[in-house]
């Protein structure tokens, strides 16, 4: 048996999310079917961050066990061959030790959220950005974001269906940058609560459009109450960009 | 009557190209139907560059005549409302003089061609880049490209179905740049022959992978024979980025 770590890019639009579902296609199913065709072996492909429906990845990480050794470039190219025509590709494959686990060995996750901030809707990037036509103040959003950095109870930004045992998380980075017609929100943490990134971005948008002051982010955080936060923003602009290991 | 100039972005994948067709959807039809719904008037929408099937635009320009005056932002927002859910958007609308013609008043067109040059196929950018897995030498491609600059007979890079009266064109720019995992070919001219950009890029790829020397581009150009050039590359990576007017 040989364990392989995969770095994966995908367009989340056609899928009901990472996780295998009875009622629709998933990224996991696409990968498990490609593994089955590549090494004639039914196996679980386990990922670091179970992205929701419509969420994309440029640096998802997963692992699986193959019944025998393969050259890593063969794994990458073979899986990509069998993944066609799915918009899911293996960027890299590495042989790893048996105790490597994509999810449990991860010490950090990074996400990017792209907001298209212009009057005209998304044409080329439909489904890949969140279109916000009202002008957003990125500096005010950054000031608001700064209140969330560090170790906090993030109940205000947690989905009701979140299964994490504790709402305590440590947010390592939350930066807001204007890039041409877009606003990019980049964030990193050891791990996130369910919908945490989308709830933080949906709330920061209220600051960006001037409905909230930056310091209202602190008030919302301190309330430890989902109803004190802003709405969950759509998945379209969210990308899992990297998973970090020791 | 009032004439409006539109700057347009679109994803070319769902369309048989710009031009209205009997047998499938076109960008022109999407726009003409939006104009009809917006101003209750059947009118021709005429563009500067009739892109082929699968070719994208970030700066296409077109014009149409409305039966009465509208505020320009209303034209933009109204057409965008009626264009939904097409991946076609009006970035800007301007009122122009009656003698403005998107095609005949244009004094230049700029295109970008994106090559994804890595072992893994396109995931997120499937249909929006040309995937070339073999490593390309951008410097050699640039040396080859330089032979095409200036006023020449471009028969070697002209589609057999091209309807232009003359194969003589003046190429003002043809730059090849590596941008991370991509190679970008940017080009400008007053106008191009049919398939000229895709034929130039398909031929430059031969230089990039070392099958041709840079100076073979000159030999191909001088032959004035389509069979002396490389293959037509796919439309996926091609973007009409700008149309220039006095």
């Amino acid at each position: 048996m040989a364990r392989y770590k995969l770095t994966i890019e995908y367009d989340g639009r056609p899928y009901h999310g990472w996780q295998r579902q009875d009622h629709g296609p998933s990224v996991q199913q696409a990968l498990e079917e490609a593994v089955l065709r590549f090494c004639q072996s039914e196996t679980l492909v386990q990922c670091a961050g179970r992205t929701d429906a419509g969420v994309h990845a440029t640096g998802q990480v997963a692992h699986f066990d193959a019944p025998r050794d393969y050259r890593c470039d063969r794994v990458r190219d073979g899986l990509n061959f069998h993944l066609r025509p799915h918009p899911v590709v293996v960027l890299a494959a590495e042989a790893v030790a048996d105790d490597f686990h994509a999810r449990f060995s991860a010490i950090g996750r990074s996400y990017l959220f792209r907001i298209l901030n212009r009057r005209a809707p998304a044409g080329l990037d439909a489904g890949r950005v969140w279109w916000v036509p009202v002008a957003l103040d990125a500096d005010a959003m950054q000031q608001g974001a700064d209140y969330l950095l560090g170790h906090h109870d993030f109940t205000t930004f947690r989905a009701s269906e979140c299964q994490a045992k504790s709402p305590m998380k440590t947010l390592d980075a939350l930066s807001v940058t204007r890039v041409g017609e877009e606003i990019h929100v980049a964030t990193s943490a050891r791990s996130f609560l369910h919908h945490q990134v989308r709830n933080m971005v949906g709330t920061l948008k209220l600051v960006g459009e001037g409905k909230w002051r930056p310091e209202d982010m602190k008030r919302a955080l301190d309330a430890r109450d989902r109803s004190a936060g802003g709405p969950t923003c759509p998945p379209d602009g969210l990308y899992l960009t990297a998973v970090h290991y020791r």
Side-chain angles (χ1 to χ4, degrees), chain A:
Chain A
M1 197 205 76
R3 183 160 288 189
Y4 291 94
K5 172 189 173 192
L6 306 175
T7 306
I8 303 160
E9 173 186 302
Y10 50 83
D11 183 338
R13 277 177 292 179
Y15 303 104
H16 286 249
W18 167 271
Q19 203 152 15
R20 222 178 228 282
Q21 307 266 346
D22 290 335
H23 58 281
S26 63
V27 181
Q28 186 179 25
Q29 183 184 350
L31 279 158
E32 288 177 352
E33 289 175 1
V35 169
L36 175 60
R37 272 176 250 136
F38 176 66
C39 50
Q40 266 77 52
S41 150
E42 221 160 307
T43 179
L44 210 59
V45 177
Q46 298 195 71
C47 76
R50 286 167 297 173
T51 51
D52 285 324
V55 174
H56 317 291
T58 56
Q60 172 71 283
V61 172
H63 76 268
F64 76 97
D65 293 325
R68 64 173 185 87
D69 283 341
Y70 296 91
R71 263 176 45 198
C72 291
D73 57 343
R74 288 278 169 82
V75 174
R76 178 197 61 202
D77 296 346
L79 292 180
N80 284 334
F81 177 81
H82 291 295
L83 277 164
R84 289 184 304 177
H86 283 281
V88 177
V89 300
V90 175
L91 299 175
E94 292 167 66
V96 286
D98 288 357
D99 63 350
F100 173 88
H101 191 291
R103 184 171 171 203
F104 300 121
S105 304
I107 58 163
R109 278 101 176 150
S110 296
Y111 286 89
L112 170 69
F113 197 99
R114 292 173 56 194
I115 299 172
L116 180 65
N117 190 32
R118 67 177 189 193
R119 287 295 304 171
L124 266 159
D125 280 331
R128 297 160 35 121
V129 292
W130 178 29
W131 175 50
V132 175
V134 55
L136 298 176
D137 179 342
D139 292 335
M141 292 170 75
Q142 180 66 71
Q143 287 173 45
D146 288 343
Y147 290 106
L148 304 188
L149 289 177
H151 189 66
H152 301 289
D153 179 331
F154 280 96
T155 297
T156 298
F157 303 100
R158 177 187 197 177
S160 55
E161 63 268 37
C162 179
Q163 289 169 11
K165 283 182 190 137
S166 158
M168 302 303 296
K169 292 286 174 192
T170 303
L171 196 64
D172 298 319
L174 186 60
S175 73
V176 184
T177 320
R178 179 166 283 281
V179 181
E181 292 182 320
E182 298 191 9
I183 286 184
H184 288 183
V185 182
T187 186
S188 295
R190 181 176 181 93
S191 62
F192 290 89
L193 298 165
H194 193 204
H195 283 180
Q196 185 181 342
V197 179
R198 287 164 61 189
N199 289 338
M200 292 192 302
V201 171
T203 310
L204 285 171
K205 183 235 185 193
L206 299 175
V207 177
E209 62 187 337
K211 288 188 178 164
W212 280 29
R213 293 161 304 159
E215 52 270 33
D216 290 332
M217 289 301 287
K218 178 165 166 45
R219 185 191 47 72
L221 178 69
D222 290 346
R224 295 173 206 179
D225 176 358
R226 179 70 195 97
S227 68
T232 308
C233 73
D236 308 50
L238 186 56
Y239 298 75
L240 174 54
T241 54
V243 185
H244 311 284
Y245 298 90
R246 269 189 218 290

